[in-house]
Amino acid sequence: MKSRLMVLIIVFCLTSTVLIGRLFYLQIVRGGEYLENYELQIRRTSEIAATRGNIYDRNGNLLAYNELAYSVTIQDTVPTSTSSDDKNKILNNILDKVLRIVEANGDSVIDSFGIILDSAGEYQFAETNETLRLRFVADVYGKVYTDDLKAEERNQSAAEIMHYLCSERYGLDDKNNEPDYILKMVNMRYAMGLNSYQQFLSTTLASDVSDETAAAIMENQSELSGVDIEEESLRRYPDGEYFASIIGYIGPMSQEEYDDLDKDDKDRYSLSDLVGKSGIEQAYDSTLQGEKGKSTFYVDRLGKVIETVSRTEPKAGNDIYLTIDKDLQINAYHLLEEKIAGIVLSKLTNILEYDPSVTEDASEIIIPVSDAYHAFIANEVIDTDHFANEEAGTAEKQVYAVFQQRKEEVLSDIMSQLQNPDAAAYRDLSDEMQAYMSYICNDVLTSNTGILMQDQIDTSDETYTAWRTDETISLNAYLNYAISQNWIDTSKLGDSAYSSSEEIYQALLAYIEEYLADDSDFDKLLYEYLIKSGSVTGTQICAIVYEQGVLPMEEDTYNGLLSGSVDSYSWLYDKIKTLKITPGQLGLEPGSGGLVVTDPNTGDVLACVSYPGYDNNRLANTMDSSYYNQLNSGTSRPFYNRATQEETAPGSTFKMVSATAALEEGIVNADTTFYCDGQFSEVEPSPRCWVYPNGHGSLNAVHAIENSCNVYFYNVGYELGMDSEGNYDSDLGTDRLAKYAEMYGLGEKSGLEIDEASPHISDEYSIQSAIGQGNNNFTVSQINRYVTAVANKGTVYDLTLIGKITDSSGSLLRDNEAEVVRTMDDISQSTWDQLHEGMELMVSSHATFSGLEFSMAGKTGTAQQNELHPDHALFVGYAPADSPEISIAVRIVNGYNSGYSSEIGRDVARIYFNPDLKDELITGAAADLGSGMAGD
């Protein structure tokens, strides 16, 4: 027994020695290597993005496509057991190396964060809209709703948020590094953070990089754990400026967009996905998106794939063919731009001070050249932040010195007014100080911050009326009264508990002073008065256009502007005439317009133009935040689709609705006439016809449409409001007008697949409503739908932009047709004949349309905004008159005279029927204006 035990002991000792030796080798000698491999050589699964479908016009011309390019990507391969501080050091070291490599080869890292640098090197929010800014802040703090933000978080500046991210999250030293460097690092870290919920998901650090960058990254990959070069599909828009309002663009999905998805879609999307942000890209995102693939694989310690276990290939998205004709769209855009430029030049006047309220007729309102000079600043054609830069030009430095001194004086004067309980009443202030007080009350405290709570204000209150209407008290008195009535949201002034109204008011003043000090919109207002006073000159503004590279440098002209030998008014006139400076850049009145062309036989939209456009290439894939900020905060508002989202009264283009109502309700027949002596005297005050003090005499429906006689249609609105006892009831009149407006489809959206504002049929003042005023409000697309129904005698379509959808191989998936919503079968042939005859006579009786190679029918219209702004100019029509192939609606916002919009409608039709006329009609310069048209 002892012998056997000894043997077992010896065997046990030997085997134990071997095992211990092996364990020592594996855990001590090779332990680090095996631990690293264990941590990194693990099974991973990643999604493979699908190729987005293309978008074509009706003739197969590409409008949106994909282009393969190299991108620098990163996967977070830092072990989850690593401490937060150590992880930050590892990631920041990697990203610093990536940044140096990328920039050394002339490329840039992503720039899609919600904070940008101004030209003075200061942080500012990319979003100037308060709601969107708060949405970004909520995303930074991980809050689902903006209401969840604490007061301290809501009120943080861009610099404070940057410091928070650097110090609390990313371990970046924002005190000892340049803001430019820190912002780039935060851009990359924030993008990685959006993917942190899904392990092993790649984050793009730099898009569309050069071959040199790609090679350098691959060469240094041993030092760049998780960094790789991937092929990605970038979205391209070859004619972006003309189609951005229709097609939109794509960009990274926001947290809010992801949260709004239903459960099934959340399984298909992730926060790293590029999705449609507007237009067709957004409306048909799921069609264009395709289906993701999936890959399961093992990676080594560098994050490189060493073995693929399985792979499911992605399925490309479907292609969309629009009903739009690319050439017609582009030609119509140019016609609109050139005509607006011509109108601007006809009204541009070499004066600085001008008050439009002294002009009795809106058609006589001028554009003082001071407004044009200021437009360079207001619409951010030039960058006022750059004035303070060390590299600023001569004129920039001159202007900045004047601005700094004046801002200090103005802020002092404003605060003196606000601190003085005996301050002068609003109406007794200078125009300039009135503008500042209105801005503080209406913009800063109400619209921008909500400190003055509109929903709490009693608009019938005497003190409110004294401020808002009578202007007999100061802003000091009004704000103190607002505090006493609890109209002020004190939570937005800070976290302090205030013991008295005086404390609240002092906190409010401190808030206003701090807000104005850094408010770019207040600066724009200040520049406006500096220019009006001549303290900042037109020659300086024009010289800055060269200094900032808005236009290529012309040394002689530039020096001439500085010396005074080149006249700034003449310089500006020439640049607008040659379209070196466009109306869209200036954002004056007029400076925008919309146009829609439809096939009245199918409901297919052939052109849908919004002017001005923008370059959606600079917003797609990874957004150019500075460009977005410029578009979003300027005065021309290119994101606002002038064809589908902007609403105005239709003016006299509505008169075919009124004529239909009168004829079908038996108010008039073909022989009925109303006498026009220039005004309608059945009500007081008596509204006038546009021909006043003259009159049209006796007119029937046909000639009332031809001559656009207001008095005839005042009579129609009046008679439609007559009840059975012979008493006038305006509501009855508007109800009967609305009945026929709804038949024409004006009570609903036009059916277009992109965002569209909801229409409003007038429900007040039937006499004015009958001439397209009242509170009628429609988009150009809705007016086009209506005139399409007039052209085809009552077929009301849901207009469409979609022709067909195919898969990536070209197989037809859906052949789309516009849906017929209703047919106006109860409208008599006699009514259609009278409408058409009146519209044909309107065209044939005006020299604007002489010499056309085809017949055309049409109706002009002007819509009043108010006495301080030019009227909107509209035209609707169709051609050929006897067998319509196209229907057209045009609106020039603040376009003065409907004759100008009718010239555009005429030329669009001419190019449609004869494309060879393009070079004759589109000259690349401001268009000559016809004589216009009297009336509306």
Side-chain angles (χ1 to χ4, degrees):
M1 293 294 295
K2 291 181 178 179
S3 176
R4 289 179 180 177
L5 183 60
M6 181 61 66
V7 171
L8 288 173
I9 291 172
I10 292 170
V11 171
F12 178 77
C13 289
L14 289 173
T15 55
S16 297
T17 300
V18 172
L19 288 172
I20 291 171
R22 187 62 180 167
L23 284 172
F24 180 83
Y25 176 77
L26 293 175
Q27 292 190 342
I28 305 301
V29 178
R30 300 288 301 277
E33 179 183 346
Y34 284 128
L35 177 62
E36 188 174 28
N37 286 337
Y38 171 75
E39 289 177 334
L40 295 178
Q41 290 188 8
I42 58 178
R43 185 176 172 128
R44 300 180 176 180
T45 300
S46 71
E47 294 176 335
I48 307 171
T51 301
R52 195 171 182 86
N54 295 331
I55 301 176
Y56 300 87
D57 84 335
R58 67 188 298 111
N59 299 311
N61 295 305
L62 266 175
L63 302 178
Y65 67 97
N66 309 292
E67 184 175 86
L68 286 179
Y70 290 129
S71 291
V72 181
T73 65
I74 188 171
Q75 288 186 1
D76 185 355
T77 59
V78 179
T80 54
S81 59
T82 308
S83 70
S84 176
D85 288 344
D86 288 343
K87 181 171 183 174
N88 278 333
K89 289 177 182 177
I90 294 169
L91 288 178
N92 291 340
N93 182 55
I94 293 170
L95 294 179
D96 177 77
K97 291 176 180 176
V98 169
L99 176 60
R100 295 177 190 279
I101 292 172
V102 168
E103 293 194 333
N105 290 284
D107 293 317
S108 303
V109 295
I110 55 174
D111 178 25
S112 55
F113 189 52
I115 291 175
I116 59 176
L117 282 177
D118 61 26
S119 297
E122 301 293 331
Y123 296 118
Q124 68 178 57
F125 290 108
E127 287 286 1
T128 55
N129 177 277
E130 181 68 5
T131 301
L132 296 177
R133 184 192 71 82
L134 287 176
R135 180 62 262 170
F136 164 72
V137 174
D139 288 342
V140 168
Y141 285 103
K143 303 295 175 64
V144 177
Y145 304 106
T146 57
D147 290 343
D148 295 336
L149 289 167
K150 300 175 184 176
E152 178 186 358
E153 294 168 341
R154 296 175 68 94
N155 297 323
Q156 279 198 323
S157 67
E160 288 170 332
I161 285 182
M162 287 294 293
H163 180 68
Y164 161 76
L165 289 172
C166 289
S167 59
E168 299 295 325
R169 289 197 194 172
Y170 302 149
L172 291 166
D173 183 1
D174 59 328
K175 293 185 178 179
N176 296 310
N177 284 286
E178 291 296 320
D180 180 55
Y181 170 79
I182 290 297
L183 184 58
K184 292 169 185 174
M185 293 292 288
V186 168
N187 260 283
M188 293 187 286
R189 288 299 305 271
Y190 190 78
M192 290 184 69
L194 294 177
N195 292 341
S196 61
Y197 74 97
Q198 187 170 344
Q199 200 173 13
F200 314 129
L201 195 64
S202 293
T203 299
T204 297
L205 301 179
S207 290
D208 198 13
V209 299
S210 63
D211 292 341
E212 290 76 13
T213 295
I217 291 290
M218 297 301 291
E219 289 172 6
N220 291 275
Q221 208 164 20
S222 60
E223 303 174 12
L224 304 172
S225 179
V227 177
D228 203 355
I229 294 295
E230 296 181 9
E231 278 193 342
E232 69 171 340
S233 183
L234 297 181
R235 200 63 161 170
R236 303 296 193 199
Y237 305 103
D239 298 288
E241 179 182 11
Y242 312 109
F243 291 93
S245 59
I246 300 174
I247 294 175
Y249 59 94
I250 66 170
M253 175 176 277
S254 68
Q255 183 68 55
E256 188 174 23
E257 288 169 326
Y258 184 78
D259 292 340
D260 288 341
L261 295 174
D262 58 35
K263 187 174 183 296
D264 290 338
D265 282 338
K266 282 183 177 177
D267 293 336
R268 297 179 55 233
Y269 287 92
S270 65
L271 278 171
S272 63
D273 287 344
L274 295 175
V275 297
K277 309 298 279 188
S278 66
I280 294 296
E281 292 278 32
Q282 182 182 51
Y284 281 81
D285 187 76
S286 59
T287 300
L288 294 161
Q289 190 75 240
E291 297 178 11
K292 295 176 184 175
K294 184 177 290 186
S295 178
T296 303
F297 52 89
Y298 288 96
V299 297
D300 64 13
R301 63 188 181 86
L302 295 177
K304 297 182 71 174
V305 176
I306 57 175
E307 180 184 357
T308 299
V309 177
S310 65
R311 180 182 174 92
T312 303
E313 293 298 329
K315 181 181 178 183
N318 298 320
D319 296 335
I320 294 178
Y321 288 76
L322 302 182
T323 58
I324 296 293
D325 183 313
K326 172 184 171 180
D327 292 338
L328 184 65
Q329 175 85 7
I330 294 174
N331 291 335
Y333 184 96
H334 286 305
L335 288 170
L336 194 55
E337 179 175 65
E338 291 180 7
K339 189 64 65 177
I340 293 173
I343 302 170
V344 169
L345 290 181
S346 73
K347 297 297 181 179
L348 190 66
T349 307
N350 194 13
I351 63 172
L352 297 180
E353 290 283 352
Y354 175 66
D355 181 3
S357 65
V358 302
T359 305
E360 294 185 4
D361 188 341
S363 66
E364 300 301 322
I365 292 175
I366 64 168
I367 302 173
V369 73
S370 58
D371 283 1
Y373 296 144
H374 181 246
F376 283 97
I377 292 173
N379 208 27
E380 301 189 13
V381 181
I382 58 178
D383 181 3
T384 55
D385 291 328
H386 191 264
F387 295 177
N389 196 294
E390 291 182 359
E391 299 176 355
T394 302
E396 289 180 287
K397 291 177 179 177
Q398 292 171 351
V399 170
Y400 187 63
V402 172
F403 169 79
Q404 273 189 307
Q405 179 180 345
R406 183 56 182 157
K407 184 171 183 178
E408 185 176 336
E409 295 170 353
V410 167
L411 286 175
S412 176
D413 290 345
I414 288 173
M415 297 314 297
S416 294
Q417 286 281 333
L418 294 177
Q419 289 168 346
N420 182 7
D422 298 320
Y426 178 89
R427 67 184 181 186
D428 297 327
L429 299 174
S430 66
D431 290 344
E432 182 176 355
M433 187 56 69
Q434 284 183 350
Y436 298 142
M437 293 298 163
S438 294
Y439 178 76
I440 291 169
C441 184
N442 300 336
D443 293 82
V444 175
L445 298 181
T446 306
S447 300
N448 295 351
T449 65
I451 290 174
L452 258 174
M453 299 179 288
Q454 275 188 305
D455 57 345
Q456 299 296 313
I457 295 175
D458 178 5
T459 56
S460 64
D461 186 281
E462 290 183 3
T463 303
Y464 175 82
T465 303
W467 164 255
R468 179 66 61 184
T469 306
D470 300 336
E471 302 178 351
T472 54
I473 62 173
S474 67
L475 185 56
N476 175 300
Y478 176 62
L479 292 179
N480 274 290
Y481 184 77
I483 292 170
S484 72
Q485 298 299 304
N486 295 318
W487 296 347
I488 299 290
D489 185 351
T490 58
S491 68
K492 295 181 178 179
L493 300 178
D495 292 329
S496 301
Y498 302 104
S499 59
S500 67
S501 296
E502 177 60 26
E503 280 191 12
I504 295 174
Y505 188 66
Q506 291 306 314
L508 182 61
L509 293 189
Y511 184 93
I512 291 170
E513 186 171 23
E514 183 178 355
Y515 189 101
L516 294 180
D518 296 321
D519 181 21
S520 60
D521 287 333
F522 175 71
D523 290 350
K524 289 178 181 179
L525 186 59
L526 183 54
Y527 274 115
E528 178 181 350
Y529 283 93
L530 284 171
I531 291 170
K532 283 182 177 181
S533 67
S535 300
V536 170
T537 67
T539 55
Q540 289 171 325
I541 297 295
C542 297
I544 291 170
V545 171
Y546 287 120
E547 290 177 350
Q548 293 195 358
V550 177
L551 292 179
M553 177 59 75
E554 299 171 312
E555 292 288 349
D556 291 343
T557 304
Y558 169 69
N559 291 327
L561 286 166
L562 291 180
S563 67
S565 62
V566 172
D567 176 60
S568 58
Y569 175 80
S570 300
W571 179 91
L572 180 61
Y573 190 97
D574 176 70
K575 296 306 178 187
I576 297 173
K577 184 175 181 60
T578 57
L579 294 181
K580 298 291 193 304
I581 298 295
T582 66
Q585 283 179 287
L586 296 176
L588 296 166
E589 293 181 353
S592 62
L595 182 154
V596 178
V597 182
T598 297
D599 182 341
N601 303 299
T602 64
D604 288 351
V605 174
L606 307 177
C608 182
V609 176
S610 176
Y611 181 84
Y614 61 93
D615 185 1
N616 48 358
N617 289 288
R618 296 181 65 178
L619 305 181
N621 308 304
T622 55
M623 179 178 288
D624 182 338
S625 296
S626 296
Y627 181 63
Y628 175 84
N629 183 57
Q630 179 187 350
L631 298 179
N632 202 38
S633 58
T635 56
S636 62
R637 300 159 67 202
F639 291 140
Y640 188 46
N641 192 320
R642 306 290 178 168
T644 66
Q645 292 177 308
E646 184 168 48
E647 298 175 288
T648 68
S652 292
T653 63
F654 188 80
K655 287 176 178 175
M656 285 79 76
V657 175
S658 302
T660 304
L663 291 164
E664 292 298 312
E665 292 291 320
I667 300 299
V668 301
N669 59 36
D671 299 321
T672 304
T673 62
F674 290 115
Y675 186 79
C676 170
D677 62 1
Q679 67 180 13
F680 180 69
S681 56
E682 294 294 332
V683 294
E684 293 290 341
S686 299
R688 294 172 175 175
C689 189
W690 62 266
V691 77
Y692 183 87
N694 299 313
H696 286 112
S698 294
L699 298 174
N700 62 10
V702 169
H703 294 295
I705 293 172
E706 174 193 2
N707 292 282
S708 197
C709 177
N710 284 347
V711 168
Y712 180 94
F713 286 99
Y714 289 146
N715 274 285
V716 166
Y718 183 71
E719 293 296 332
L720 286 170
M722 283 294 179
D723 62 21
S724 58
E725 298 179 358
N727 298 314
Y728 170 64
D729 180 352
S730 177
D731 290 343
L732 176 61
T734 54
D735 287 348
R736 295 169 91 178
L737 282 170
K739 170 185 172 183
Y740 291 91
E742 288 171 355
M743 284 187 187
Y744 278 112
L746 288 171
E748 59 211 8
K749 295 181 181 180
S750 71
L752 292 180
E753 291 83 359
I754 58 179
D755 284 344
E756 184 177 45
S758 297
H760 182 78
I761 298 172
S762 183
D763 55 9
E764 60 183 25
Y765 311 125
S766 69
I767 293 172
Q768 289 86 351
S769 296
I771 66 163
Q773 292 293 152
N775 57 7
N776 280 306
N777 267 307
F778 309 113
T779 66
V780 177
S781 53
Q782 291 151 11
I783 294 172
N784 174 269
R785 182 200 207 191
Y786 142 61
V787 76
T788 295
V790 173
N792 63 33
K793 299 182 181 179
T795 300
V796 180
Y797 291 101
D798 261 349
L799 302 183
T800 186
L801 292 165
I802 307 299
K804 64 180 180 180
I805 298 174
T806 69
D807 63 20
S808 58
S809 63
S811 298
L812 183 66
L813 299 177
R814 175 185 168 194
D815 193 3
N816 189 59
E817 292 182 355
E819 179 183 349
V820 176
V821 178
R822 70 182 64 85
T823 55
M824 300 167 64
D825 298 326
D826 294 335
I827 306 300
S828 68
Q829 184 60 45
S830 172
T831 294
W832 293 124
D833 290 344
Q834 290 177 74
L835 299 182
H836 290 180
E837 184 181 357
M839 293 176 73
E840 290 175 41
L841 286 173
M842 178 267 155
V843 167
S844 63
S845 63
H846 283 90
T848 297
F849 298 95
S850 63
L852 287 180
E853 306 85 359
F854 48 86
S855 59
M856 192 170 186
K859 183 71 193 78
T860 56
T862 56
Q864 296 174 354
Q865 182 170 339
N866 59 48
E867 65 276 5
L868 300 179
H869 301 273
D871 294 340
H872 307 304
L874 298 98
F875 171 79
V876 298
Y878 55 88
D882 55 347
S883 182
E885 295 180 31
I886 56 170
S887 57
I888 304 169
V890 184
R891 177 172 59 213
I892 304 173
V893 181
N894 304 117
Y896 286 90
N897 189 297
S898 59
Y900 305 144
S901 54
S902 68
E903 291 167 14
I904 295 172
R906 172 202 65 196
D907 290 344
V908 167
R910 291 183 70 191
I911 286 180
Y912 175 83
F913 290 113
N914 185 1
D916 291 339
L917 290 172
K918 179 187 72 170
D919 293 337
E920 174 186 333
L921 299 176
I922 299 172
T923 64
D928 294 331
L929 301 180
S931 58
M933 291 187 180
D936 58 358

